[in-house]
Each structure stands twice: as C-alpha cells, then as structure tokens.
Amino acid sequence: MRKVNKSILLCLIAMILCACSPASKEEVLRYAENEFGKAEYVRTEEIDDRTIRYYFLDEEHGFEYCVTSEVRDILVDGAKFGETESKASNFDKVYYEYVLTQVQDELTALEEPYGVTIRDGLEEEAQLGYEYRLAEVYVAEGDTLTAAQAAEAIHDVFVAYDTRNYWEDKEVAAYDTREEKLGSYS
C-alpha cells in the first residue's frame, strides 16, 4: 500500500512540474494590478505556445505597458527536470519614460539656478540607467553643497509625479565634472 501511495505522489509531482502553460489573462491582470496599480486589458499577443504577452492601459496615467508570461524549463545539471511559469513586464521603463516627459521642463529649469548638468537615466552618457537611478547631476569639482541641494531638488521633482511610491529605492547620483561620484540622494 505504501508503494502505491509513493507512486501516486511521484506521478502527481511529475505532472505538476511537467504540465505548465503561460498564465491566463485573469491571472496576469491580477498580477499587473497587484504590482503596478489599476489597469485595463487591451490585447493579447501569442508569441508561441510557451510565451504570451498581455497589454494593459494604466488607469491612472493612460500609458500602455505589457506583461509577458513565459514557460521556462527547469534544468538541473543540463537535464530537464520540469517547467515553470514566470512573468516579466516593461512597466518600469514605460512608467519612467512617462514621468520623465512630465518632469523634463522642470529638470531643465533646475540646471541654471544650481549651475549643474542633469542627465536622465535614459541618456547614453548616464553611468547607470533608469533601472538604478532617476537622474544624475554633474557639478563643479568639490562643490558638494550644490550637489546635495540639486540632487534633493531633482529627487523631489520625480517624487511629486510618482503618486504610487513606485520608486522608493531609486536615487539621484551626484558627480563632479571629472565624473567622480560625490554621493547619491534617495
């Protein structure tokens, strides 16, 4: 009797690990709303039998983003052990681009009074992209006071538009004209 129970249990585990498919529209919508806020479903794009991309419209700001549900193999030492479903989204970048368009004039207006150069996280010259920083501020060598004041002002501009507190861990980095890091504000 014990062997039968073990066999049934092993078969169930094998079925769970092997029988995997991309998440349904309802599951992905629930995921999107939990992670990013209220959204409206727009459309579905089936990439292949293992990958589906769902598009949503952010209800607060009206921009479109996607969540991709993909089935991936579980590999152990090169051997396939099963499959698992995972989700990924471009929300972070799309939200950053949206907010950046809203604050661009305010950022430009801060450059002259502080005597600094501000680079957003999407500029090629930025030392780290938007994934890590909201912006970078460049000041004259040794001017740490201005760097701190400008970084705080830049951070406040972004925070004013980040109504859902999505960027709690993002920072504004300060550099001197030789591109040596002076510090960061978050």
Side-chain angles (χ1 to χ4, degrees):
M1 186 70 160
R2 288 182 119 194
K3 289 182 182 182
V4 173
N5 287 339
K6 285 182 183 179
S7 296
I8 292 172
L9 183 61
L10 287 173
C11 287
L12 286 173
I13 290 172
M15 285 175 37
I16 290 170
L17 291 174
C18 294
C20 194
S21 63
S24 69
K25 178 177 83 171
E26 291 76 22
E27 291 171 318
V28 174
L29 178 59
R30 192 170 36 254
Y31 166 83
E33 289 186 339
N34 286 338
E35 293 292 317
F36 314 122
K38 290 283 185 191
E40 179 184 325
Y41 169 77
V42 177
R43 69 183 182 281
T44 300
E45 178 184 352
E46 287 193 41
I47 309 300
D48 55 40
D49 63 333
R50 297 171 61 93
T51 308
I52 299 177
R53 188 167 292 141
Y54 299 92
Y55 290 85
F56 299 98
L57 193 64
D58 181 78
E59 286 190 5
E60 185 176 353
H61 298 294
F63 58 81
E64 188 176 281
Y65 66 95
C66 69
V67 175
T68 303
S69 174
E70 182 176 22
V71 175
R72 295 180 180 201
D73 292 338
I74 300 171
L75 300 174
V76 178
D77 292 331
K80 182 177 174 180
F81 184 65
E83 296 177 333
T84 184
E85 185 270 339
S86 65
K87 295 173 189 68
S89 177
N90 69 344
F91 179 88
D92 191 54
K93 183 175 183 184
V94 174
Y95 185 50
Y96 180 79
E97 289 171 344
Y98 170 79
V99 172
L100 187 60
T101 60
Q102 306 302 308
V103 302
Q104 195 64 57
D105 291 340
E106 292 177 62
L107 294 178
T108 303
L110 289 174
E111 289 181 321
E112 189 176 327
Y114 286 104
V116 299
T117 302
I118 300 170
R119 292 183 185 158
D120 63 65
L122 296 176
E123 290 185 39
E124 288 184 24
E125 298 83 23
Q127 297 199 28
L128 284 176
Y130 73 92
E131 295 96 353
Y132 305 101
R133 300 204 174 121
L134 297 172
E136 296 173 351
V137 59
Y138 291 82
V139 299
E141 281 183 52
D143 193 357
T144 56
L145 180 61
T146 300
Q149 292 170 342
E152 182 178 7
I154 294 164
H155 186 268
D156 291 347
V157 167
F158 276 98
V159 167
Y161 283 89
D162 182 22
T163 56
R164 54 187 87 185
N165 297 323
Y166 186 72
W167 292 322
E168 286 183 54
D169 299 328
K170 299 248 182 175
E171 64 182 29
V172 176
Y175 295 90
D176 65 18
T177 51
R178 293 182 302 159
E179 296 192 2
E180 290 190 26
K181 188 172 181 179
L182 302 172
S184 60
Y185 183 90
S186 69

